[in-house]
Amino acid sequence: MSFARLTRILRSASFRLPLIYAVLFILSAGVLFASVYWTATAAMQNDMAAVLRSEAYQLAEVHRRSGLAGLAEQITRRINFRTRGPIFYLLQAPNRRVVVGNLPGMPPVNGAIDFEPDQPQPEIDPERPGERPKLTGFGLTLPDGSFLLVAQDANRLVDMQRAIIRAFAWSGGLTLLLAIAGGVLLGSNFLRRIDTIARTSRAIMEGDLSARIPVRGTHDEIDQLVASLNAMLARIQQLMDGLRQVSSDIAHDLRTPLGRLRQRLEDARERATTTADYSAATDAAIEEADALLETFSALLRIAQVEAGAQKSAFAPFDVSALLKSLGETYQPVAEDSERTLEVQIEPGATLTGDRQLIAQLVSNLLENALRHTPEGTKLHLGLHRQGEGFEIEVADNGPGIPTSEHDKVFDRFYRLDRSRSTSGSGLGLAMVKAIAGLHGLTIRLEDAKPGLRVVLQTAR
């Protein structure tokens, strides 16, 4: 592993995080260690004190029954047989003469005492010859003035404390070592995934919009981020493809009206001889320019809707009431064009969105049906409740649209061959699709046999 890569790993968040957790673990373990250390020390000290005190009072009872000689015999027996482990004894006469014991003489002290013998005894601590051992004991002055001391080696307590410290040091060091090794491993793995994302980003910046970041299938946070990034990239590619398509469509579909406008202006310049001729040519040019402006305005509205610019104005409204009002508005229009419009609206349906845009969506569908169907056609506008959602239907029994053309009619400027003789820019259904997408409505075309059925449905 190169030094530069190791430096990147050490600086990565995936390395720092395990290291931080390891330090926090060691600090927590330190608190636990301190608690165990002081609790174990206190427990052992209390246990040693209880053993020594019990031993001293038992021997004092022997002295009460058998006197100094009987006590000396009992102490000698216990020293020889060590039935209670490494316990040390001292029995001094009232004149401080050592009667029996394996400890050197000392001034009498009653109660618990920690001390170092003036002269080390080999049998006290054979593993530390020549050292002054540390002892803890319990002393009693007997009724005849003699002194009894029972003691144990305090180094046992020190050894236990050292064992606890060693265990903590080893476990803490091992934890830190494992954390560093784990951090390096995780950091290396994390950097490989980051490098993959960086390579994909560079490929996209170089123009390959189809590049995607591979998903490992671990379903962890990085996989979730990658899935979101891929969805964003897919959306960007879709928008870029749409932009290219729109640019191509604009260049193709607006070339004819612009050429027609130029031709009329040239005709006016070359052939008009009277004021009426100039006026007629000007009116025709203005009409053509208005149609072009209307097309550009429609394109701008579609772009704004697809960008979600109107979401700030979203509010709940009564869809049933809106569709009922639109139906009442278009019924006379249908009658005037020798068609009929049937309206069946179930009340109480609501939607959070832009009321004006939904009105434009339904109006576009109704106007398309009126414009592209023959006289005598029956149109239908309906709304049906479905649980908490609803379904909007605009249908007719006209010539319909071939199934192969269902997806294409939502493209900008796309028009069926039979529709090219009618007015329009081919943007009506593109606007319908954009508004439906903005409001989370699914849209589909169905064959009404005969005719066409357009269905808008809320998400379930």
Side-chain angles (χ1 to χ4, degrees), residues 184-450:
V184 171
L185 181 63
L186 291 174
S188 178
N189 182 53
F190 179 78
L191 287 180
R192 281 198 297 271
R193 301 183 74 176
I194 293 298
D195 288 341
T196 302
I197 295 174
R199 285 195 300 271
T200 304
S201 300
R202 286 193 295 270
I204 292 171
M205 287 187 291
E206 290 171 0
D208 183 10
L209 294 180
S210 63
R212 295 293 181 269
I213 306 167
V215 179
R216 299 181 62 180
T218 56
H219 304 293
D220 57 8
E221 293 82 355
I222 299 295
D223 257 11
Q224 294 174 16
L225 175 62
V226 167
S228 298
L229 289 174
N230 284 340
M232 179 187 69
L233 293 173
R235 178 60 176 161
I236 290 174
Q237 183 182 18
Q238 179 184 359
L239 292 174
M240 292 300 295
D241 290 343
L243 180 60
R244 281 194 291 266
Q245 184 63 39
V246 168
S247 300
S248 175
D249 290 341
I250 289 175
H252 181 270
D253 285 77
L254 297 186
R255 181 171 56 187
T256 299
L258 285 173
R260 193 162 52 240
L261 175 61
R262 186 177 187 279
Q263 182 63 41
R264 287 181 177 179
L265 292 174
E266 284 186 350
D267 289 345
R269 184 181 62 182
E270 294 176 1
R271 300 177 182 177
T273 57
T274 64
T275 304
D277 292 338
Y278 279 110
S279 179
T282 302
D283 290 342
I286 291 174
E287 183 180 352
E288 201 70 52
D290 286 342
L292 288 170
L293 290 173
E294 184 179 348
T295 299
F296 280 112
S297 296
L299 288 170
L300 180 60
R301 287 197 302 273
I302 292 173
Q304 290 173 339
V305 170
E306 289 180 338
Q310 279 84 356
K311 278 196 173 182
S312 59
F314 274 18
F317 66 94
D318 190 332
V319 183
S320 298
L322 173 63
L323 265 61
K324 185 177 180 181
S325 175
L326 288 172
E328 293 172 351
T329 301
Y330 276 92
Q331 277 179 330
V333 177
E335 291 176 3
D336 291 343
S337 61
E338 302 299 329
R339 296 167 179 83
T340 59
L341 173 60
E342 178 189 26
V343 179
Q344 291 181 342
I345 307 296
E346 293 184 9
T350 60
L351 177 68
T352 298
D354 189 309
R355 188 178 188 277
Q356 187 174 4
L357 286 179
I358 295 297
Q360 182 176 357
L361 179 152
V362 177
S363 297
N364 282 9
L365 292 175
L366 290 173
E367 288 175 4
N368 266 7
L370 291 171
R371 183 180 299 117
H372 301 296
T373 57
E375 294 180 358
T377 299
K378 294 181 180 180
L379 280 63
H380 173 79
L381 171 63
L383 183 146
H384 311 288
R385 301 281 298 277
Q386 295 180 335
E388 295 182 0
F390 57 85
E391 181 180 273
I392 299 174
E393 174 188 2
V394 177
D396 63 70
N397 62 350
I401 297 176
T403 304
S404 60
E405 306 283 339
H406 280 184
D407 291 334
K408 298 178 182 178
V409 294
F410 291 107
D411 295 339
R412 294 177 178 87
F413 299 112
Y414 187 84
R415 305 185 72 187
L416 298 176
D417 291 337
R418 67 170 180 266
S419 301
R420 295 189 179 277
S421 59
T422 61
S423 61
S425 59
L427 297 173
L429 289 180
M431 175 64 79
V432 167
K433 182 180 179 181
I435 296 173
L438 180 68
H439 289 80
L441 301 174
T442 59
I443 182 170
R444 67 179 186 273
L445 303 184
E446 298 178 354
D447 188 353
K449 298 180 180 179

Side-chain angles (χ1 to χ4, degrees), residues 118-138:
D118 292 336
Q119 298 175 357
Q121 302 292 312
E123 64 271 18
I124 292 179
D125 193 353
E127 296 181 0
R128 299 182 178 91
E131 292 186 12
R132 294 168 64 89
K134 295 180 180 180
L135 300 179
T136 181
F138 191 85

Side-chain angles (χ1 to χ4, degrees), residues 80-193:
N80 290 335
F81 289 100
R82 294 180 180 272
T83 57
R84 294 181 178 272
I87 299 181
F88 307 99
Y89 301 91
L90 172 63
L91 178 61
Q92 293 182 160
N95 60 3
R96 294 193 180 182
R97 177 181 62 84
V98 176
V99 178
V100 68
N102 50 8
L103 288 173
M106 60 178 292
V109 178
N110 289 318
I113 177 176
D114 294 322
F115 65 99
E116 295 180 1
D118 292 336
Q119 298 175 357
Q121 302 292 312
E123 64 271 18
I124 292 179
D125 193 353
E127 296 181 0
R128 299 182 178 91
E131 292 186 12
R132 294 168 64 89
K134 295 180 180 180
L135 300 179
T136 181
F138 191 85
L140 281 176
T141 300
L142 302 174
D144 63 355
S146 57
F147 174 65
L148 172 66
L149 176 66
V150 182
Q152 277 189 326
D153 186 0
N155 284 323
R156 292 172 56 203
L157 178 62
V158 174
D159 291 342
M160 182 200 70
Q161 292 172 333
R162 289 175 178 171
I164 294 175
I165 292 174
R166 281 196 302 271
F168 172 75
W170 276 104
S171 61
L174 183 60
T175 299
L176 190 59
L177 182 62
L178 290 175
I180 292 174
V184 171
L185 181 63
L186 291 174
S188 178
N189 182 53
F190 179 78
L191 287 180
R192 281 198 297 271
R193 301 183 74 176

